[in-house]
Amino acid sequence: MEFTNALSIATPELIVVIGAMVLLLVGAYGGDKARPAISLLSGLVLIGAAVASATGPLGQAFMGAFVNDSLAVFAKVAIYLASAVAILLGHGWMIRNNQARFEYPILILLAAAGMSMMASAGDLISLYVGIELQSLALYVLAAFNRDDAKGSEAGLKYFVLGALSSGLLLYGASLIYGFAGSMAFDDIAAAAAGAHGTSLIFGLVFLLCGLAFKISAAPFHMWTPDVYEGAPTPAVAFFAAAPKLAALVLIARTLGEGFHVIEDQWRQVILALAVLSFCVGAFGGLMQKNIQRLLAYSSIANMGYALLAIAAGTTVGVKAMLVFMVLYMVDVTGFFACLLALSRGGRPITQISDLAGLKQDRPGTAIVLTMLSLSVLGMPPFAGFWAKVYVFGAAIQGGLWIFAALGLAASVVAAFYYLRLIKLMWFDPSPGLTDPAPRDAQWVAYAAAAFSFPLVLFALGWLDGFAGTAARALGLG
Amino acid sequence: MIAAIAFYVLAAVSVFAALRVVLASNPVHSVLWLITAFFSAAGLFVLMGAEFLAMLLVVVYVGAVAVLFLFVVMMLDVDFVKLREGFTRYMPFGAVVACILLVEMILISAAVAARGAGAHAPGVQHATDVTNVEAIGRVLYTDYVYIFQAAGLVLLVAMIGAIVLTLRHRPHVKRQDIHTQVTRDRKKALAMTRPETGAGVRPEDLV
């Protein structure tokens, strides 16, 4: 009885995992002919899982290792939908670039399963296994184009640094276990309230280092530009969205459930990570020539803002992080969809200078890129502006106004490179005509732009309500 | 008394061996030191009363993983001179970082020990009436079934990854296909040629 109950709570994960395994068999026996069907079915599996998690029962299962509260549900729906978009974007791109293999959607499915394990991790073991499941699938996706030297380099760098960060994380987890005597977040919270509060910080610092690696927060960001540059573009579009949300939710849950008693101590760590991230992101991006490297620095900076919201340590802060991440995920997916839609002479556009004069032959894409750039830099009335309003509002409410001011200054610096993109597209001469755009990527880009303005104004009311319910699940002040 | 001596000897050996794993410039020596570290860790497990884990460590890590490492390392084309090049350059910085970490750990451990924090932590419950294997078996597939299955998935991803990244279908590789092999006849398999002296026959010319 208890076991059936546990399985019903974990239905979305079961759908994703069983779907992945069945489709793996279909792919192994069906070969290349089955590829379109596998992509389509993987997308459907993810959408089914999103529906199942939105409507499924809440509760704890497997001795508290698996927590399905409203925060987990919010994160899972966003993760599954973002993963489905990544499959859609990847399918066409892989065929056009002769890299199509049926494992791509299956690895995304397994990564999504890992991410939802992260979103509902209730103890340190499920935290670690979830991270490992997700990361391992992402390492393979990064090196997916194995004949490309840059792709292999990206995969290897991601793997070696990721393994190092897992080592740090495990070391921290074992220290925490040693001091608290338990791996469940509830017991850790009880231990933190007792005499071992200070000793737990020791393990927590290592744990946070490992987690910061996964969200590419500075100073653990070194792998990000190389991986973004070398990995296949649709895979990068996936890396930049769902895994970051999963890891941030995991950080919020670990800190909020396990360590809220020693909030003053971890806040310093998170603030240091946040400030370094948005400074490195803003200044590092200035010198970039490759668009994907630029987007890597942009994502580092945005992780800084998300961490700033978590540092507030309040329900409002977690809510701000969730709203920020959803709006950012839409923006960044749209950005990458534009990149996937652009090619010149059969080669994907990689350099920023290749965007020059885009308005002449691709006015639609130029408008979309302009809107998304303005949105990411935080110009009203686009989505990115509202995202930053939430984050800075939460930070100021939490008494972190100095850090909010620093963040604002960093986003002014970062505005330079988005404005340079816009200037290049609209005012510089074009080096030549671009190829006709594939429809799938173009529609995703249009949809993202339409969301960033004006749809966001309508969606924000809903999102605010859902994120508020989700954030209250942690029971912070 | 003997247990205490055994603990300190095993602990000292494992720390020393772990250091040598990192510091040895010859990767083969590193792996051999790693095996030593595993062995002494297994000894520590035995002292704690976890015989099954000790056995697993020896069988799985020493028997399989470390030997596999050894094979891989021996097949690598390692240039020992080049390996040592960076060492002196990075050593001062690495030593500084290591010293800072060590001092911090000692300080914190001392502070924690002074307040007697470790004494309050609930220790591992010793069930005296069951064996190690039974104790693990009781929880592995019940309390930890979720983690157990998830770990299986992690291995599945590793397998898919290995296949995606390394499997290539090369056109000239001859694979076993029993049906075609058995139904082959003389006409398909034999070709008569009259090569010039000293020129030989290339297999491509025959097909």
Side-chain angles (χ1 to χ4, degrees):
Chain A
M1 192 58 217
E2 197 194 347
F3 190 64
T4 11
N5 191 26
L7 289 185
S8 77
I9 289 173
T11 312
E13 281 76 12
L14 287 177
I15 293 177
V16 173
V17 164
I18 293 173
M21 288 193 284
V22 170
L23 290 175
L24 185 64
L25 285 182
V26 172
Y29 286 103
D32 282 349
K33 288 190 299 292
R35 219 169 43 215
I38 290 175
S39 288
L40 180 69
L41 288 172
S42 316
L44 291 179
V45 163
L46 283 168
I47 290 169
V51 172
S53 64
T55 54
L58 300 181
Q60 292 201 349
F62 307 112
M63 309 281 287
F66 186 88
V67 183
N68 198 31
D69 54 6
S70 48
L71 177 65
V73 168
F74 183 93
K76 278 181 209 175
V77 172
I79 287 166
Y80 293 147
L81 294 181
S83 309
V85 173
I87 291 177
L88 170 70
L89 286 177
H91 180 69
W93 192 86
M94 295 277 175
I95 290 176
R96 288 194 294 281
N97 288 278
N98 295 325
Q99 297 170 20
R101 262 169 296 158
F102 75 90
E103 286 95 344
Y104 176 80
I106 287 165
L107 284 169
I108 287 194
L109 277 183
L110 288 166
M115 285 184 264
S116 64
M117 279 187 74
M118 287 162 73
S120 44
D123 66 14
L124 292 173
I125 310 185
S126 46
L127 173 151
Y128 175 69
V129 177
I131 286 182
E132 242 4 63
L133 181 56
Q134 174 243 29
S135 314
L136 218 55
L138 296 190
Y139 304 147
V140 181
L141 285 176
F144 204 74
N145 185 10
R146 59 189 179 186
D147 297 320
D148 177 35
K150 275 212 159 144
S152 309
E153 182 199 334
L156 195 66
K157 271 188 182 163
Y158 197 12
F159 176 67
V160 171
L161 291 175
L164 178 69
S165 78
S166 291
L168 285 177
L169 194 143
L170 274 181
Y171 185 46
S174 61
L175 282 171
I176 293 172
Y177 178 51
F179 285 123
S182 165
M183 280 184 281
F185 289 155
D186 303 341
D187 299 338
I188 293 172
H196 333 294
T198 27
S199 39
L200 281 177
I201 300 168
F202 197 35
L204 180 62
V205 170
F206 282 102
L207 191 71
L208 282 177
C209 290
L211 290 172
F213 240 107
K214 305 290 176 197
I215 58 165
S216 71
F220 304 103
H221 64 283
M222 289 79 87
W223 56 273
T224 326
D226 292 331
V227 172
Y228 276 42
E229 186 185 357
T233 317
V236 182
F238 180 56
F239 294 170
K244 310 267 167 162
L245 175 70
L248 280 166
V249 167
L250 183 62
I251 292 177
R253 187 189 293 284
T254 312
L255 295 176
E257 280 187 355
F259 298 94
H260 56 90
V261 185
I262 47 171
E263 185 184 285
D264 292 332
Q265 274 82 18
W266 58 252
R267 179 178 288 144
Q268 301 161 8
V269 181
I270 298 288
L271 278 177
L273 290 175
V275 171
L276 276 173
S277 300
F278 51 62
C279 291
V280 165
F283 288 100
L286 294 178
M287 305 301 289
Q288 300 308 319
K289 293 194 172 63
N290 183 296
I291 306 174
Q292 274 164 253
R293 287 185 86 87
L294 176 74
L295 286 172
Y297 280 102
S298 161
S299 90
I300 294 169
N302 280 294
M303 287 310 109
Y305 299 123
L307 283 174
L308 182 64
I310 292 180
T314 54
T315 304
V316 180
V318 176
K319 180 176 121 183
M321 183 274 284
L322 293 174
V323 174
F324 178 86
M325 279 312 292
V326 169
L327 297 180
Y328 169 71
M329 277 161 71
V330 175
D331 276 348
V332 84
T333 307
F335 231 109
F336 277 104
C338 289
L339 284 191
L340 292 168
L342 287 173
S343 57
R344 187 171 277 138
R347 286 232 191 103
I349 280 182
T350 54
Q351 299 302 309
I352 293 175
S353 54
D354 289 342
L355 288 176
L358 199 65
K359 68 134 200 271
Q360 283 159 17
D361 59 331
R362 300 284 290 283
T365 310
I367 291 172
V368 167
L369 269 178
T370 307
M371 285 172 73
L372 292 172
S373 302
L374 289 174
S375 175
V376 178
L377 82 81
M379 189 71 79
F382 294 101
F385 169 72
W386 302 108
K388 282 192 177 137
V389 165
Y390 269 91
V391 166
F392 292 137
I396 290 169
Q397 212 178 331
L400 306 171
W401 57 271
I402 299 177
F403 300 98
L406 278 175
L408 213 55
S411 68
V412 171
V413 175
F416 168 77
Y417 51 74
Y418 300 116
L419 291 175
R420 186 171 55 155
L421 282 185
I422 297 173
K423 177 225 158 210
L424 268 171
M425 284 186 293
W426 293 92
F427 302 111
D428 283 11
S430 163
L433 286 180
T434 52
D435 301 335
R439 241 181 310 153
D440 47 356
Q442 195 143 34
W443 280 108
V444 171
Y446 287 155
F451 181 83
S452 85
F453 185 77
L455 288 182
V456 67
L457 300 179
F458 307 105
L460 215 51
W462 280 22
L463 201 57
D464 185 79
F466 287 138
T469 321
R472 273 193 292 280
L474 286 184
L476 297 168
Chain B
M1 180 62 190
I2 294 174
I5 294 172
F7 169 78
Y8 283 112
V9 169
L10 287 171
V13 168
S14 63
V15 169
F16 177 73
L19 265 180
R20 293 297 301 169
V21 174
V22 188
L23 295 179
S25 55
N26 186 335
V28 178
H29 294 174
S30 276
V31 176
L32 292 175
W33 280 114
L34 189 66
I35 292 174
T36 318
F38 281 148
F39 253 107
S40 23
L44 289 174
F45 273 132
V46 171
L47 285 182
M48 286 169 72
E51 305 89 8
F52 182 62
L53 280 184
M55 210 168 68
L56 274 188
L57 198 67
V58 172
V59 172
V60 177
Y61 279 89
V62 178
V65 177
V67 172
L68 198 68
F69 273 179
L70 208 56
F71 272 117
V72 172
V73 165
M74 283 174 164
M75 277 192 264
L76 289 179
D77 182 21
V78 186
D79 184 354
F80 292 114
V81 183
K82 219 171 181 182
L83 270 180
R84 287 201 194 92
E85 256 176 20
F87 186 72
T88 43
R89 197 146 54 91
Y90 299 122
M91 200 189 57
F93 182 68
V96 168
V97 173
C99 279
I100 293 173
L101 275 179
L102 186 68
V103 169
E104 280 176 351
M105 282 184 197
I106 291 172
L107 278 179
I108 292 188
S109 317
V112 168
R115 282 189 292 114
H120 298 291
V124 184
Q125 279 100 29
H126 284 288
T128 42
D129 56 330
V130 293
T131 63
N132 265 233
V133 186
E134 220 177 321
I136 291 176
R138 276 186 187 174
V139 291
L140 188 60
Y141 304 106
T142 52
D143 295 355
Y144 294 102
V145 65
Y146 168 57
I147 303 301
F148 183 78
Q149 294 294 337
L153 277 179
V154 174
L155 292 179
L156 176 68
V157 172
M159 201 176 87
I160 298 175
I163 292 171
V164 167
L165 298 181
T166 55
L167 181 68
R168 283 166 203 274
H169 291 287
R170 289 197 184 78
H172 295 300
V173 172
K174 297 211 188 311
R175 284 171 199 286
Q176 187 171 30
D177 182 349
I178 293 167
H179 180 258
T180 45
Q181 278 167 275
V182 172
T183 51
R184 230 158 98 100
D185 57 12
R186 191 168 59 88
K187 267 182 252 160
K188 276 191 247 165
L190 271 177
M192 303 300 287
T193 56
R194 198 179 287 277
E196 281 175 42
T197 317
V201 183
R202 287 189 304 165
E204 294 94 287
D205 298 337
L206 297 176
V207 183

